[in-house]
Amino acid sequence: MRRVVVTGLGALTPLGNSVQAYWEGLIQGRSGAAPITRFDASLFKTRFAAEVKNFDPESYMDRKEARKMDPYTHYAMVTAEEAYRDA
C-alpha cells in the first residue's frame, strides 16, 4: 500500500481565492455559481457558471509572463505556490 501525505493546501475557487476564503464559503453554504462574465452567454441556454472571481494574475506574476499563459495555467501556478508556502 502506498501512503500519501498532504503537506500544504492551495485553493483558487468560485467560493474564494485562498484556502481560508474557500473554507469559509463552504462552511457558510455559499454557492459559487453566478452569471457568466468571461464571454457573452446570451445565445446559450445556460447563462450561469462557477467562475473564479476577482482574480488578477498580475498580483502574482509579471505582466509579460502572465500574457503568455492561459487562465488555467495562472490558477495552477498560484495554487501550487500557495500549497508550497503552506507546507
Side-chain angles (χ1 to χ4, degrees):
M1 257 179 124
R2 293 183 183 204
R3 293 182 180 184
V4 175
V5 178
V6 177
T7 58
L9 299 173
L12 191 56
T13 74
L15 292 179
N17 294 347
S18 69
V19 173
Q20 182 66 29
Y22 171 62
W23 185 250
E24 288 173 7
L26 284 176
I27 297 299
Q28 294 171 3
R30 283 191 286 128
S31 171
I36 294 172
T37 60
R38 297 193 57 91
F39 62 91
D40 180 11
S42 62
L43 300 177
F44 296 95
K45 186 175 180 181
T46 302
R47 296 188 181 98
F48 66 92
E51 299 175 322
V52 173
K53 300 164 189 71
N54 303 318
F55 176 74
D56 179 20
E58 293 177 27
S59 297
Y60 301 93
M61 62 190 76
D62 181 63
R63 180 180 181 191
K64 222 174 185 180
E65 288 300 314
R67 291 186 65 184
K68 296 177 188 177
M69 299 178 210
D70 185 74
Y72 297 103
T73 306
H74 297 153
Y75 304 157
M77 293 196 55
V78 169
T79 55
E81 178 68 25
E82 186 178 7
Y84 177 77
R85 286 189 192 149
D86 186 50

